[in-house]
């Protein structure tokens, strides 16, 4: 395990270049398996989640070559093997191999996926989609065996606009016979990125980015080149940081439209922003105003920015309420923030109150999940004194080059092996 050590209280300025989206890349890599030829994906973030997916591809016998942010994947000779639990447990997104292998081989055997401890993280909507397409799902001691004589297009309504279920059903439907319509589909930018990748291979998908996605089955998917969309959650995390201690911090290589809900919130909080075509420049105002946050599916305020935003709200004047509507256990960072001097309180497992501004002091704290870790990095940079964040490997899962990117804007931050 690693730990991150920060000497806080420094003003940050300069440019932070955003990488490819983790939540898109972790879907694109398994989706590549659907292709009968080699595909190339650019702007892939160099994060441990991608390494784990690499392991699965190699286990299946795919030929994978990675250099810098490019990954070439040739799945023409892969075998349909059981994916070992030790690998699939490493990340939630391993479940995209369910849709991809079911589509390619009409059979997949996989263990329940892993992922951050932010909630129960069921996959019932994924399995409902596979069954609607004609698959049979058996659950043998946490190992799913999903088989289909044939996959036929179907009309599938999602009880909840689930990102994972939308993408997984899309993967399973792309070579099914006939037409599939997913209604109440998720609309996140990564859904569009995956649909575009599949269409570049020759799939026939329309409506991605709206709540109704139509997939007309095709027989063959061919080689193509594709690019991962910029990571709007990484971008939002650094925008939140700049809003507290930034001076002309430019967050670049982004699509501002993907951050509309955050931009609107930061305006309410009193943060002036210069918004360009592919960058946003922020200098922290003298005073941050308290506000209320309610997480919602895209394009609402993203749940993945709720924990980083909690740290900002400890510095805002007044009382803020956070209402987390997506995950039932996504406030684990608040205890750690309180250790550093914040005044926060859980009102229920979906509601918390934060009163500010409070002076934060460097402490030894623990990351409990990826975005909780990001919240603590921001707190460590804002606090005076030294902060040590244990379990920093959570953070490395989703923030490419975070130590270098922050060092480049003046932070005193380093990564060390931890003997905890
Ligand atoms: C994706 O998770 C992201 N992960 C999450 O980001 C993100 O928080 C989430 O979407 C919402 O935006 C990846 O893309 C790898 P969901 P996912 O299916 O697909 C319920 C991060 O920090 N649900 O949209 O798992 C579920 O319990 C991570 O980068 C079911 O009930 O999210 C939750 O309440 C954390 N049954 C809600 O839907 C299902 O079958 C959202 O889940 C599936 C989901």
């Amino acid at each position: 395990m690693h730990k991150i050590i920060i000497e806080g209280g420094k003003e940050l300025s300069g440019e932070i270049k955003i990488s490819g989206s983790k939540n898109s890349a972790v879907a694109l890599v398994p989706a590549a398996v659907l292709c009968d030829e080699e595909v190339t994906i650019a702007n892939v973030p160099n994060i441990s989640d991608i390494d784990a997916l690499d392991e699965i591809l190699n286990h299946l016998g795919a030929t994978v070559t990675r250099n810098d942010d490019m990954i070439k994947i040739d799945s023409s000779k892969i075998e349909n093997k059981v994916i070992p639990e030790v690998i699939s447990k490493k990340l939630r997104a391993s479940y995209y191999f369910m849709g991809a292998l079911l589509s390619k081989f009409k059979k997949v055997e996989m263990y329940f996926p892993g992922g951050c401890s932010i909630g129960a993280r069921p996959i019932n909507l994924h399995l409902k989609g596979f069954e609607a397409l004609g698959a049979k799902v058996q659950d043998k001691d946490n190992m799913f065996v999903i088989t289909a004589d044939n996959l036929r297009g179907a009309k599938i309504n999602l009880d909840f606009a689930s990102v994972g279920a939308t993408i997984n059903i899309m993967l399973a439907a792309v070579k099914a016979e006939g037409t599939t319509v997913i209604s109440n589909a998720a609309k996140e930018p990564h859904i569009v990125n995956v649909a575009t990748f599949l269409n570049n291979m020759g799939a026939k998908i329309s409506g991605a980015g709206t709540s109704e996605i139509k997939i007309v089955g095709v027989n063959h998917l061919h080689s193509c080149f594709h690019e991962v969309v910029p990571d709007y959650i990484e971008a939002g995390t650094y925008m939140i940081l700049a809003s507290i201690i930034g001076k002309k911090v430019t967050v670049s290589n982004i699509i501002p439209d993907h951050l509309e809900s955050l931009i609107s919130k930061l305006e309410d909080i009193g943060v002036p922003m210069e918004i360009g075509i592919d960058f946003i420049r922020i200098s922290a105002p003298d005073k941050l105003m308290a506000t209320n946050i309610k997480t919602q599916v895209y394009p609402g305020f993203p749940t993945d920015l709720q924990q980083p935003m909690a740290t900002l709200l400890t510095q805002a004047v007044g009382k803020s309420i956070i209402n987390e509507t997506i995950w039932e256990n996504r406030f684990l960072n608040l205890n750690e923030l309180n250790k550093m001097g914040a005044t926060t309180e859980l009102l229920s497992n979906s509601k918390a109150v934060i009163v500010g501004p409070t002076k934060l002091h460097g402490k030894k704290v623990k990351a409990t999940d990826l975005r909780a870790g990001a919240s603590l990095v921001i707190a460590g940079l804002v606090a005076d004194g030294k902060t040590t964040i244990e379990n920093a490997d959570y953070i490395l899962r989703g923030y490419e080059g975070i130590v270098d990117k922050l060092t480049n804007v003046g932070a005193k931050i380093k990564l060390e092996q931890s003997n905890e």
Side-chain angles (χ1 to χ4, degrees):
M1 261 295 189
H2 290 86
K3 60 186 174 185
I4 282 181
I5 298 163
I6 296 170
E7 276 302 326
K10 312 260 176 289
E11 184 176 72
L12 305 180
S13 60
E15 181 179 5
I16 299 177
K17 193 169 177 307
I18 297 304
S19 305
S21 161
K22 165 183 88 82
N23 288 345
S24 184
V26 297
L28 293 171
V29 169
V33 153
L34 278 168
C35 189
D36 309 314
E37 299 163 20
E38 181 181 79
V39 294
T40 303
I41 307 172
N43 200 31
V44 178
N46 182 16
I47 51 177
S48 53
D49 272 9
I50 300 297
D51 301 337
L53 293 174
D54 224 347
E55 263 187 271
I56 295 176
L57 287 174
N58 286 308
H59 169 77
L60 294 172
T63 310
V64 185
T65 39
R66 273 172 80 180
N67 60 357
D68 199 21
D69 70 348
M70 294 278 255
I71 189 167
K72 285 181 185 294
I73 300 167
D74 182 344
S75 309
S76 53
K77 298 189 180 62
I78 71 166
E79 295 167 58
N80 192 10
K81 298 182 200 167
V82 175
I83 296 170
E85 186 169 16
V86 66
I87 313 179
S88 61
K89 272 267 175 259
K90 286 185 180 177
L91 75 161
R92 170 103 171 148
S94 54
Y95 60 21
Y96 289 131
F97 282 99
M98 284 182 176
L101 294 175
L102 177 63
S103 180
K104 195 170 181 97
F105 295 116
K106 307 284 184 297
K107 178 176 182 182
V108 55
E109 295 176 271
M110 255 194 85
Y111 289 90
F112 193 83
C116 290
S117 57
I118 55 179
R121 311 200 76 173
I123 59 168
N124 59 306
L125 298 178
H126 303 236
L127 303 178
K128 171 187 166 189
F130 298 150
E131 287 170 334
L133 294 169
K136 193 160 124 255
V137 177
Q138 292 165 293
D139 177 353
K140 293 178 176 167
D141 323 323
N142 239 3
M143 148 89 85
F144 290 105
V145 178
I146 309 171
T147 52
D149 299 333
N150 220 344
L151 290 169
R152 282 176 308 284
K155 191 153 171 39
I156 301 164
N157 176 273
L158 295 178
D159 308 356
F160 178 86
S162 155
V163 167
T166 301
I167 292 176
N168 232 343
I169 294 167
M170 209 159 53
L171 297 180
V174 83
K175 293 176 91 171
E177 270 172 38
T179 300
T180 296
V181 174
I182 307 171
S183 53
N184 194 28
K187 301 186 269 193
E188 276 73 349
H190 22 300
I191 311 279
V192 178
N193 204 210
V194 173
T196 311
F197 178 43
L198 294 169
N199 283 342
N200 288 350
M201 287 185 214
K204 288 196 174 72
I205 301 171
S206 52
T210 74
S211 55
E212 181 145 306
I213 299 177
K214 187 166 97 170
I215 303 122
V216 179
V218 295
N219 292 324
H220 179 72
L221 295 171
H222 53 70
S223 185
C224 75
F225 173 88
H226 190 55
E227 189 144 352
V228 183
V229 71
D231 193 323
Y232 68 106
I233 300 299
E234 183 196 14
T237 304
Y238 291 124
M239 287 166 59
I240 289 167
L241 171 64
S243 300
I244 311 169
I245 50 170
K247 185 168 187 306
K248 291 206 175 85
V249 172
T250 303
V251 179
S252 63
N253 187 37
I254 64 169
I255 300 175
D257 284 0
H258 291 168
L259 287 146
E260 263 179 30
S261 56
L262 175 64
I263 290 168
S264 163
K265 268 300 156 193
L266 289 177
E267 284 167 351
D268 295 349
I269 292 168
V271 178
M273 288 164 276
E274 184 190 337
I275 300 175
I277 297 281
D278 63 354
F279 71 87
I280 290 180
R281 188 167 295 119
I282 291 177
S283 292
D286 298 336
K287 194 168 150 186
L288 296 165
M289 306 306 294
T291 187
N292 295 333
I293 300 285
K294 179 176 181 181
T295 64
Q296 297 176 81
V297 295
Y298 192 88
F301 191 90
T303 173
D304 295 345
L305 287 177
Q306 177 265 100
Q307 292 156 298
M309 178 57 88
T311 305
L312 181 152
L313 296 175
T314 69
Q315 303 308 301
V317 177
K319 180 170 131 180
S320 303
I321 300 280
I322 295 182
N323 182 2
E324 170 57 63
T325 70
I326 308 288
W327 299 107
E328 67 270 25
N329 188 30
R330 200 164 206 179
F331 288 117
L332 297 176
N333 53 317
L334 297 185
N335 271 340
E336 304 302 299
L337 292 177
N338 289 348
K339 285 180 194 167
M340 298 176 73
T343 303
T344 78
E345 190 189 342
L346 260 191
L347 304 175
S348 71
N349 71 0
S350 63
K351 217 169 242 187
V353 58
I354 298 176
V355 178
T358 52
K359 186 92 189 83
L360 298 182
H361 307 284
K363 283 276 184 284
K364 190 172 172 183
V365 290
K366 270 191 190 319
T368 49
D369 56 78
L370 166 58
R371 307 301 174 183
S375 158
L376 297 177
V377 168
I378 296 172
L381 292 165
V382 171
D384 57 18
K386 177 180 165 186
T387 296
T388 301
I389 305 172
E390 293 293 347
N391 300 346
D393 291 64
Y394 278 117
I395 302 163
L396 304 180
R397 285 189 47 201
Y399 290 93
E400 180 185 50
I402 185 167
V403 171
D404 292 343
K405 291 185 181 184
L406 288 172
T407 302
N408 290 344
V409 290
K412 278 181 77 58
I413 178 172
K414 59 185 177 182
L415 183 71
E416 284 183 359
Q417 282 292 345
S418 171
N419 40 29
E420 290 268 308

